């Protein structure tokens, strides 16, 4: 079909007739129709251009007629859709849509285009160029080039029968079998039955300029609100709700043409249908502008009708409540739509479609207001909702007295449970306190026993070192006696050498102090005292201990090598107990080397380079037997015939009491290395 530029339309028929339909009256169908046979040739497409020329596409010929003059263009192949571009050029398909020709106003063909597919329809772009539709593909020709969009861009599968381009470069696409789509920025968003489209076979699409799209389909006309469609495309809505004007309202099934619809100068739409051309005046839509009124038919409780009242009482323990309603519809009652809401349960309106009943299950005891609105066949909604109030009665376990009693019982149970729990916690706390006190008492007893054992060990060690200690004391005493006798002789011989006598007296004083120091160290070593920890230097502990074991080293012919750290090796320890560890380890090493033939060497090392301070005693003896190595620091384990096996056990007890650890290594060919690691401490001022 094509506009005649006045009040009618030119209509082409495949049987070779070219008809003219005049717009008379306001009915849906045309007022009158006349036609003429055109040399028994079938008319395949029409276009009335902006200059008033009627272009007619015959089998292989394109003819333009204006005020009695005629232009004939032979394309030598079957001619298809025709469209006038914004520039005034005609775009014509031929060779069954395999080729496109661009024709100037004077009938000169300026370009022939191979679209690389079969073109089904052509539509002019409002700014520049032409849109072409194929099977599942859209092509846009413009001054910027050629753009193609297919299923990869989201274009629905099916014949693209119409485009509705917008000035922003987007376009609505109507397909026969694939439904509707919106193309923008190179991506098409399809709209199908699941989103509310009543029919997927579309032949044409028109915009009435009032925010509505008119879609020609196999069910008649589909009128859709553009805002609802855009909300759907942009993801703000899940579906839309169009109006259908179908055969029941005098609108036949749509039929394809070139074009299948157009808008005339009066703003009315002309559509091709299987029963001929149909004219629609969209300016007067909706044709039924009376808002429908909803009437309630009843309320059912578990399929039992309830008596009507201002507030309907629903019995307790009702599983399902059904609301029944309807509205009067003179035409197309199947197109009446409802939306409902139950105040007190629903937060928004629910689309109920054409259903005239709504059911709810598991309603809690309280008052509700059920509201319903209706929409007529032309999309006009009720101005106000109809409503009915119900009150769901509570079951006995849902009553306030039962809940109050249950609350008190629950609180009583919680209180009783809390008292029981508090009692259990107190008993556990008491048991834990007793266990803690018992553990503390046991640890205190263990500490006292350890100190007593350490004292006994020191006494035993002193007994073993008695000869060495006597020798150490005898040396200064002999020096004192010798110096005293020499002084007497000087005096008896009247040899008044003052300098010589001063030297003798000074030596006597030094030897006396030496003997006193030895006795003091022994007393300190043997005295029984409470453990007192303070910052001590392991290097100084070794130096203070050596006089106690010097005789033992000489008797066993042991060469002592000291490898002490240059910096102080500071730990928090009891100095006497630390001396006891050194004495025990040196004595054990000397006894271990007593039967060694050859060089006997004892090396004492200290190390402050690590985070844990280290003290080592290494001998060149025979090492530790494998059966003894694992039990070396256990009490009563000894390799000496007269030994008690307490020395190393006392050492381990003292070291572990100071937070350290002691270990033995005899993995070398000869000798044993005893290593003591202690925590790092800072020397106090």
């Amino acid at each position: 079909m094509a506009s005649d530029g006045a009040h009618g339309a030119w209509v082409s028929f495949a049987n070779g007739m070219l008809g003219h339909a005049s717009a008379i009256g306001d009915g849906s169908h045309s007022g009158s129709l006349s036609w003429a046979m055109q040399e028994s040739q079938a008319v395949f497409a029409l276009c009335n251009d902006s200059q008033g020329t009627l272009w007619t596409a015959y089998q292989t010929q394109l003819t333009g007629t204006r005020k009695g003059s005629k232009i004939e263009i032979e394309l030598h192949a079957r001619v298809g859709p025709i469209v006038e571009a914004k520039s005034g050029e005609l775009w014509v398909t031929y060779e069954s849509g395999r080729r496109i020709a661009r024709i100037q106003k004077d009938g000169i063909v300026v370009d022939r285009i191979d679209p690389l597919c079969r073109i089904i329809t052509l539509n002019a772009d409002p700014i520049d160029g032409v849109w072409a539709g194929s099977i599942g593909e859209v092509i846009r020709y413009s001054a910027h080039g050629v753009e193609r969009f297919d299923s990869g861009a989201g274009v629905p599968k099916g014949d693209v029968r119409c485009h509705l381009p917008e000035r922003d470069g987007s376009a609505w696409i109507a397909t026969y079998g694939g439904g509707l789509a919106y193309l923008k920025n190179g991506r098409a968003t399809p709209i199908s039955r699941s989103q509310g489209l009543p029919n997927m076979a579309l032949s044409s699409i028109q915009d009435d300029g009032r925010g509505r799209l008119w879609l020609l389909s196999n069910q008649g006309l589909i009128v859709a609100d553009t805002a609802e469609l855009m909300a759907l495309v942009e993801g703000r809505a899940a579906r839309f709700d169009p109006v259908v004007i179908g055969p029941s309202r005098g609108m036949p099934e749509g039929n394809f043409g070139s074009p299948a619809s157009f808008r005339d100068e009066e703003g009315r739409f002309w559509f091709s249908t299987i029963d001929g051309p149909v004219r629609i005046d969209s300016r007067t839509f909706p044709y039924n502008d009376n808002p429908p009124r909803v009437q309630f038919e009843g309320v059912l409780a578990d399929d039992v009708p309830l008596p009507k009242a201002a507030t309907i009482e629903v019995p307790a323990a009702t599983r399902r409540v059904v609301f029944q309603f309807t509205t009067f519809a003179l035409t197309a009652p199947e197109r009446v739509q409802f939306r409902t809401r139950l105040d007190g349960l629903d937060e928004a309106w629910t689309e109920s479609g054409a259903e005239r009943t709504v059911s709810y299950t598991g309603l809690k005891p309280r008052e509700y207001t059920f509201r319903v609105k209706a929409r007529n066949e032309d999309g006009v909604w009720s101005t106000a909702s109809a409503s009915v109030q119900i009150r769901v009665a509570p079951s006995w376990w849902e009553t306030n007295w039962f809940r109050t009693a249950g609350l008190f019982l629950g609180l009583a149970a919680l209180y009783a449970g809390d008292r029981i729990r508090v009692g259990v916690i107190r008993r556990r706390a008491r048991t834990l306190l007793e266990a803690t006190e018992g553990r503390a008492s046991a640890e205190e007893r263990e500490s006292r026993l350890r100190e007593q054992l350490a004292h006994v060990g020191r006494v035993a060690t002193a007994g073993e070192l008695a000869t060495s200690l006597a020798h150490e004391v005898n040396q200064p005493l002999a020096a004192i006696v010798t110096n005293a006798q020499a002084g007497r002789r000087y005096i008896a011989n009247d040899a008044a050498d003052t300098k010589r006598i001063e030297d003798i007296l000074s030596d006597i004083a030094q030897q006396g102090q030496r003997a006193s120091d030895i006795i003091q160290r022994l007393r300190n070593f043997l005295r029984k005292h409470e453990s007192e920890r303070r910052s001590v230097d392991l290097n100084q502990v070794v130096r203070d201990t050596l006089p106690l074991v010097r005789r033992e080293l000489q008797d066993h012919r042991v060469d002592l090598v000291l490898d002490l750290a240059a910096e102080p090796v500071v730990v928090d320890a009891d100095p006497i107990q630390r001396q006891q560890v050194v004495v025990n380890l040196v004595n054990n090493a000397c006894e271990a080397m007593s039967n060694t033939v050859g060089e006997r060497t004892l090396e004492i090392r200290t190390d402050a380079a690590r985070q844990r301070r280290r003290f080592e005693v290494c001998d060149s003896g025979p090492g530790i037997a494998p059966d003894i190595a694992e039990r070396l620091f256990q009490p009563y384990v000894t390799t000496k015939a007269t030994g008690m096996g307490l020395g190393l056990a006392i050492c381990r007890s003292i070291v572990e009491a100071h937070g350290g650890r002691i270990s033995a290594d005899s993995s070398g060919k000869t000798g044993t290395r005893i290593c003591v690691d202690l925590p790092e401490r800072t020397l106090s001022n």
Side-chain angles (χ1 to χ4, degrees):
M1 289 196 303
S3 173
D4 65 357
H7 301 287
W10 290 99
V11 184
S12 64
F13 297 90
N15 62 2
M17 294 182 180
L18 180 62
H20 181 268
S22 60
I24 302 175
D26 295 325
S28 296
H29 293 274
S30 59
S32 63
L33 185 65
S34 62
W35 61 87
M37 185 69 68
Q38 300 292 322
E39 300 176 0
S40 300
Q41 296 188 62
V43 178
F44 293 99
L46 292 173
C47 177
N48 200 29
D49 65 17
S50 59
Q51 302 299 321
T53 302
L54 177 63
W55 294 92
T56 307
Y58 298 107
Q59 183 70 24
T60 63
Q61 182 178 330
L62 180 65
T63 301
T65 304
R66 181 185 179 192
K67 296 181 180 181
S69 62
K70 182 180 293 186
I71 301 175
E72 293 184 349
I73 302 173
E74 180 62 46
L75 294 174
H76 305 289
R78 181 174 176 176
V79 182
I82 313 168
V83 70
E84 182 186 17
K86 192 72 174 177
S87 62
E89 292 180 335
L90 286 182
W91 289 60
V92 184
T93 67
Y94 63 101
E95 288 188 8
S96 299
R98 299 292 180 183
R99 302 282 291 178
I100 300 176
R102 288 173 52 207
I103 304 174
Q104 292 181 343
K105 297 177 183 180
D106 55 5
I108 299 176
V109 178
V110 296
D111 195 9
R112 297 178 186 269
I113 302 170
D114 182 3
L116 304 178
C117 59
R118 186 172 69 86
I119 300 301
I120 298 173
T121 185
L122 292 174
N123 292 95
D125 189 271
I127 297 178
D128 172 40
V130 168
W131 292 73
S134 181
I135 301 175
E137 185 176 9
V138 174
I139 308 170
R140 182 185 183 186
Y141 296 95
S142 68
H144 301 288
V146 181
E147 297 177 273
R148 310 181 77 95
F149 311 98
D150 54 14
S151 59
V155 176
K157 295 180 179 179
D159 294 354
V160 178
R161 288 195 170 181
C162 188
H163 315 81
L164 184 60
E166 304 286 354
R167 299 188 68 85
D168 63 355
S170 62
W172 292 98
I173 303 171
T175 69
Y176 195 82
L180 183 66
Y182 181 70
L183 177 65
K184 187 172 184 179
N185 298 328
R187 189 69 191 173
T189 303
I191 301 174
S192 61
R193 290 185 184 274
S194 60
Q195 283 87 36
L197 187 65
N199 189 263
M200 299 287 285
L202 307 180
S203 297
S204 180
I205 180 170
Q206 293 288 342
D207 188 345
D208 65 3
R210 294 175 173 83
R212 297 175 301 219
L213 295 183
W214 295 69
L215 310 175
L216 182 62
S217 75
N218 280 6
Q219 287 185 357
L221 280 173
I222 301 171
V223 185
D225 187 280
T226 308
E228 290 185 8
L229 288 174
M230 291 307 300
L232 181 65
V233 168
E234 294 171 359
R236 293 181 285 109
R239 57 182 295 116
F240 74 112
D241 193 11
V243 174
V244 176
I245 303 175
S248 62
R249 302 185 63 187
M251 181 65 196
E253 176 183 332
N255 190 25
F256 181 52
S258 297
S261 67
F262 71 90
R263 183 176 182 177
D264 64 19
E265 284 71 14
E266 298 293 329
R268 293 169 295 191
F269 292 138
W270 294 76
F271 295 99
S272 296
T273 74
I274 60 174
D275 292 338
V278 173
R279 176 178 54 80
I280 295 289
D281 191 349
S282 65
R283 295 171 299 179
T284 61
F285 183 83
Y287 308 117
N288 179 9
D289 57 1
N290 294 318
R293 297 179 61 184
V294 180
Q295 179 180 352
F296 280 101
E297 294 185 328
V299 180
L300 306 180
D302 291 337
D303 299 329
V304 177
L306 298 177
K308 294 183 178 180
T311 300
I312 299 176
E313 298 289 339
V314 179
T318 297
R319 293 187 297 274
R320 186 166 69 101
V321 178
V322 179
F323 297 92
Q324 298 175 326
F325 46 87
T326 188
T327 188
F328 175 75
L330 184 61
T331 61
E334 72 280 359
R335 297 302 304 169
V336 175
Q337 302 288 305
F338 296 92
R339 59 175 52 149
T340 60
R341 187 178 74 188
L342 185 62
D343 292 347
L345 181 65
D346 298 330
E347 295 183 357
W349 290 92
T350 301
E351 302 297 333
S352 302
E355 294 294 327
R356 285 165 166 76
T357 61
V358 173
S359 63
Y360 292 88
T361 59
L363 292 179
K364 297 184 180 299
R366 56 167 300 175
E367 288 190 359
Y368 299 90
T369 300
F370 179 76
R371 303 182 186 276
V372 59
K373 289 183 178 181
R375 192 198 74 169
N376 69 12
E377 66 275 16
D378 284 348
V380 178
W381 283 95
S382 306
T383 55
S385 62
S387 62
V388 61
Q389 287 187 328
I390 64 171
R391 181 186 295 113
V392 180
S395 301
W396 63 268
W397 60 84
E398 297 174 313
T399 57
N400 290 334
W401 68 265
F402 179 80
R403 291 176 177 174
T404 302
L407 177 62
F408 278 113
L409 289 175
L411 291 175
L414 288 175
Y415 180 77
D418 181 70
R419 292 295 89 198
I420 295 174
R421 179 173 174 273
V422 170
V424 171
I425 292 175
R426 286 177 176 173
R427 287 193 295 272
R428 289 180 179 176
R430 197 160 42 246
T431 302
L432 181 61
L433 179 60
E434 292 175 355
T436 303
E437 292 177 348
R439 185 162 55 250
S441 178
E443 291 177 353
E444 184 179 356
R445 289 195 300 271
E446 181 182 357
S447 177
R448 288 197 299 269
L449 290 174
R450 183 171 57 247
E451 292 175 358
Q452 292 175 1
L453 180 61
H455 180 256
V456 171
R458 290 196 296 275
V459 173
T461 301
E464 295 178 0
L465 298 177
T467 303
S468 176
L469 293 174
H471 177 75
E472 290 293 330
V473 174
N474 283 336
Q475 283 184 348
L477 292 179
I480 291 171
V481 171
T482 302
N483 284 324
Q485 290 175 351
R488 289 178 59 190
R489 286 196 296 272
Y490 271 103
I491 295 173
N493 295 330
D494 293 329
D497 189 347
T498 306
K499 181 65 172 64
R500 185 66 174 172
I501 293 175
E502 287 180 357
D503 291 341
I504 291 174
L505 293 177
S506 176
D507 190 48
I508 290 174
Q510 290 178 359
Q511 295 300 327
Q513 184 62 45
R514 176 184 174 190
S516 175
D517 290 343
I518 293 173
I519 297 301
Q520 183 63 37
R521 288 195 185 98
L522 180 61
R523 290 181 62 189
N524 290 337
F525 185 71
L526 293 177
R527 71 184 177 90
K528 187 176 182 180
H529 68 292
E530 296 292 332
S531 178
E532 178 184 0
R533 296 188 186 183
R534 55 187 174 86
S535 294
V536 297
D537 181 9
L538 287 181
N539 294 339
Q540 190 60 42
V541 170
V542 172
R543 295 187 185 98
D544 292 343
T545 306
L546 289 179
L548 300 178
V549 296
R550 184 177 291 113
R551 186 66 181 179
E552 191 75 10
L553 294 171
Q554 292 176 357
D555 290 347
H556 289 86
R557 301 188 306 280
V558 175
D559 294 331
L560 178 64
V561 178
L562 293 180
D563 185 10
L564 304 182
E567 299 294 330
V569 183
V570 181
V571 296
D572 284 350
D574 184 302
I576 302 303
Q577 292 184 353
R578 186 56 50 204
Q579 282 186 345
Q580 184 175 359
V581 171
V582 176
V583 170
N584 287 353
L585 294 180
V586 171
N587 284 346
N588 280 358
C590 291
E591 292 175 358
M593 293 184 291
S594 59
N595 297 323
T596 298
V597 178
E599 183 179 1
R600 300 175 183 178
T601 304
L602 178 65
E603 185 176 0
I604 299 178
R605 306 189 192 115
T606 59
D607 185 5
R610 300 176 180 84
Q611 290 184 351
R612 294 181 67 85
R613 304 318 194 199
R614 175 164 292 185
F615 166 73
E616 294 181 356
V617 176
C618 306
D619 64 54
S620 59
I624 306 172
D627 59 333
I628 299 296
E630 295 182 358
R631 302 179 293 116
L632 185 64
F633 295 101
Q634 296 180 6
Y636 312 116
V637 175
T638 182
T639 58
K640 297 182 292 186
T642 59
M644 298 177 61
L646 293 177
L648 292 180
I650 292 173
C651 290
R652 185 186 70 174
S653 176
I654 293 173
V655 171
E656 291 179 352
H658 286 74
R661 61 177 182 268
I662 186 171
S663 60
D665 180 16
S666 187
S667 58
K669 294 182 179 179
T670 59
T672 300
R673 180 172 65 92
I674 304 296
C675 179
V676 176
D677 282 319
L678 293 169
E680 179 184 8
R681 289 294 185 270
T682 302
L683 181 62
S684 59
N685 293 329

